Amino acid sequence: TRSDGDVPGYLFLASIRRAGRLNGYVGVEVALSNVQAAWALLTHPLYAQEKGGAFVLANGLAQTALDASPRERELSLLDGSRYEVMAVGNTLYAPQSRSLPLVDWRFVTLSDIQPVREARNRAFIIGGLITSLLIGTMAALRQRRLQLLVDGRRQRAASLRLERRVRDKTKEL
């Protein structure tokens, strides 16, 4: 990686061989200023990193995050799996990367996990409310069923008493 003042660039080198013998090198320098200008418009931190870990290019958000000495750590998910996050100050970011094998670079974007946490909390609340509603509905249905059984028994008892009275009155007549 190379930079002239504020213009970032990258130098690609390749050896020239003929009949197994090294004849020299050829280099191509690529200015990355257009890429940097496009990346400046992004709303998430994004950076490119070489295989060895050196930073090739970063947008302003990523540069701010990287300058803040991020700490990497893991979070545990409900299913027991672990997820790597990067802590910058009090903000946690989930790094998502893609490799570019041709040049051995890795593009990394950092996503703030706070919206994910908020969505998770809302999902827990909604799940709890639905569970409460289901339990309440099942309790009401059970109570209704018991009430129907009690009412049926009362009607049966009243019917038997009425039959007995009718039978007794019929005997008297």
Side-chain angles (χ1 to χ4, degrees), residues 6 17-18 42 52-53 55 61 79 85 89 94 101 116 123 139 143 154 156:
D6 290 336
R17 297 187 179 272
R18 180 171 259 164
L42 298 174
F55 293 100
L61 297 169
D79 64 358
V85 294
V116 175
Q143 183 64 32
R154 281 187 191 146
R156 175 85 175 151

Side-chain angles (χ1 to χ4, degrees), residues 108-162:
V108 180
T109 183
L110 303 175
S111 300
D112 186 356
I113 67 168
Q114 187 59 33
V116 175
R117 284 181 162 178
E118 290 170 0
R120 179 199 61 193
N121 292 342
R122 283 191 299 270
F124 280 142
I125 291 169
I126 290 169
L129 290 173
I130 289 172
T131 302
S132 298
L133 180 65
L134 288 173
I135 290 171
T137 302
M138 288 177 12
L141 288 173
R142 185 171 190 274
Q143 183 64 32
R144 176 74 177 139
R145 183 173 172 245
L146 290 174
Q147 189 62 42
L148 287 173
L149 287 172
V150 168
D151 290 347
R153 287 180 182 161
R154 281 187 191 146
Q155 286 178 356
R156 175 85 175 151
S159 173
L160 290 173
R161 278 194 305 271
L162 184 60

Side-chain angles (χ1 to χ4, degrees), residues 43-55:
T43 59
H44 290 288
L46 175 69
Y47 61 90
Q49 196 174 24
E50 287 182 315
K51 188 177 186 176
F55 293 100

Side-chain angles (χ1 to χ4, degrees), residues 14-26:
S15 60
I16 300 172
R17 297 187 179 272
R18 180 171 259 164
R21 195 173 131 228
L22 179 65
N23 288 340
Y25 295 94
V26 64

Side-chain angles (χ1 to χ4, degrees), residues 47 72 83-86 93-97 106 108-111:
Y47 61 90
E72 292 192 9
Y83 196 81
E84 179 184 320
V85 294
M86 184 182 292
Y93 291 99
Q96 300 169 2
S97 65
R106 181 174 75 116
V108 180
T109 183
L110 303 175
S111 300

Side-chain angles (χ1 to χ4, degrees), residues 39-98:
W39 283 11
L41 302 174
L42 298 174
T43 59
H44 290 288
L46 175 69
Y47 61 90
Q49 196 174 24
E50 287 182 315
K51 188 177 186 176
F55 293 100
V56 176
L57 186 66
N59 68 358
L61 297 169
Q63 194 61 55
T64 301
L66 295 170
D67 288 345
S69 302
R71 302 168 318 280
E72 292 192 9
R73 60 185 228 198
E74 287 185 347
L75 288 180
S76 294
L77 300 178
L78 291 176
D79 64 358
S81 61
R82 302 186 71 70
Y83 196 81
E84 179 184 320
V85 294
M86 184 182 292
V88 179
N90 292 331
T91 306
L92 293 178
Y93 291 99
Q96 300 169 2
S97 65
R98 296 283 182 259

